[in-house]
Amino acid sequence: MRNKMSLKKIVATAVLMTASMLTHAQSVKEELQSQLSQLKPFSADFTQVVTSVEGDNLATAQGTMQLQRPNQFRWETMSPDEQLIVSNGENLWFYNPFVEQVSIYSLKDAIANTPFMLIAGAEPALWETYRVTKKAGIYTVITPNDAAAAVFTLQFKDGEIAQFSVQEQQGQNSLFALTNHKTMNKMDPALFNFIIPEDTDIDDQR
């Protein structure tokens, strides 16, 4: 009888602990959703540092970004090479001026399954596929049911995104630090619509 009672206590404790962990995970996810939903349209400078799984510096890039939720963004790398990514909420353009080529994708197909869409403005259903934890002010977002998915981290400062990172399955990590934030009520729609220059090779993947 005593062993049966002990087993019941163990099971009950395990159930309560699991329920508590799930509730905490849900509250952290809701906290991150709330933080992101309060973001005003903003522009910022970024520095990207790419490191290997061993921690070696593989590359560094700098540029500017503009973001207006939902799903409108402009990401312009200026050094060491020029590249431009633009989304109007439906289409995504990836422009390489050096080779004079632009690739066009449906935004949904291009990055719908990447954690970056959480910043841009993920659909509510997409949040169900992510698990969110928080430690020392840093949110970590993973996709439990996708072993090949990247691990995404996000950190805020004074209500603005200070930095985020993407760690690929192979261990390579890209850290993006944002500075010189400028917020506004609304941005020029032209920022999020790419006009294809003449004599540009078009690769339409839509």
Side-chain angles (χ1 to χ4, degrees):
M1 178 66 70
R2 184 176 300 172
N3 289 339
K4 288 184 179 180
M5 289 299 294
S6 298
L7 181 60
K8 287 182 179 179
K9 288 183 179 181
I10 292 172
V11 172
T13 301
V15 170
L16 289 173
M17 288 179 64
T18 301
S20 176
M21 290 171 64
L22 289 173
T23 300
H24 175 69
Q26 188 65 24
S27 64
V28 171
K29 183 185 292 188
E30 291 172 351
E31 180 183 306
L32 177 56
Q33 286 178 287
S34 177
Q35 287 257 47
L36 291 170
S37 68
Q38 294 177 49
L39 286 178
K40 292 184 177 180
F42 74 91
S43 65
D45 298 331
F46 73 83
T47 299
Q48 176 188 6
V49 177
V50 183
T51 54
S52 68
V53 64
E54 293 84 11
D56 298 324
N57 192 327
L58 300 178
T60 301
Q62 294 180 325
T64 63
M65 67 169 292
Q66 291 83 32
L67 176 71
Q68 180 168 271
R69 290 168 59 94
N71 302 329
Q72 293 180 309
F73 55 87
R74 183 182 186 92
W75 186 272
E76 186 169 7
T77 302
M78 298 178 175
S79 68
D81 301 307
E82 293 185 14
Q83 291 181 339
L84 178 64
I85 302 174
V86 179
S87 167
N88 65 359
E90 295 181 3
N91 300 313
L92 182 143
W93 294 268
F94 182 90
Y95 177 56
N96 188 325
F98 181 74
V99 297
E100 297 182 313
Q101 182 183 60
V102 61
S103 297
I104 310 173
Y105 305 91
S106 165
L107 178 67
K108 183 177 180 180
D109 294 337
I111 58 174
N113 293 320
T114 67
F116 182 76
M117 281 305 296
L118 299 183
I119 294 178
E123 296 295 328
L126 189 59
W127 279 94
E128 298 301 321
T129 65
Y130 295 113
R131 185 168 72 214
V132 183
T133 60
K134 183 182 179 182
K135 184 177 181 180
I138 300 176
Y139 296 94
T140 299
V141 183
I142 65 172
T143 309
N145 298 325
D146 186 354
V151 177
F152 182 69
T153 70
L154 188 62
Q155 187 172 9
F156 292 83
K157 182 178 180 181
D158 298 328
E160 302 291 345
I161 298 173
Q163 66 178 37
F164 62 92
S165 71
V166 181
Q167 182 174 326
E168 305 296 338
Q169 183 188 22
Q170 297 81 3
Q172 181 172 297
N173 187 75
S174 293
L175 176 65
F176 301 85
L178 305 186
T179 56
N180 298 325
H181 282 265
K182 296 179 181 177
T183 60
M184 55 204 74
N185 291 325
K186 191 173 183 180
M187 288 185 161
D188 184 352
L191 285 170
F192 310 111
N193 189 41
F194 183 70
I195 305 300
I196 300 175
E198 292 185 10
D199 302 321
T200 297
D201 183 26
I202 301 174
D203 175 29
D204 196 334
Q205 297 289 328
R206 290 172 295 182

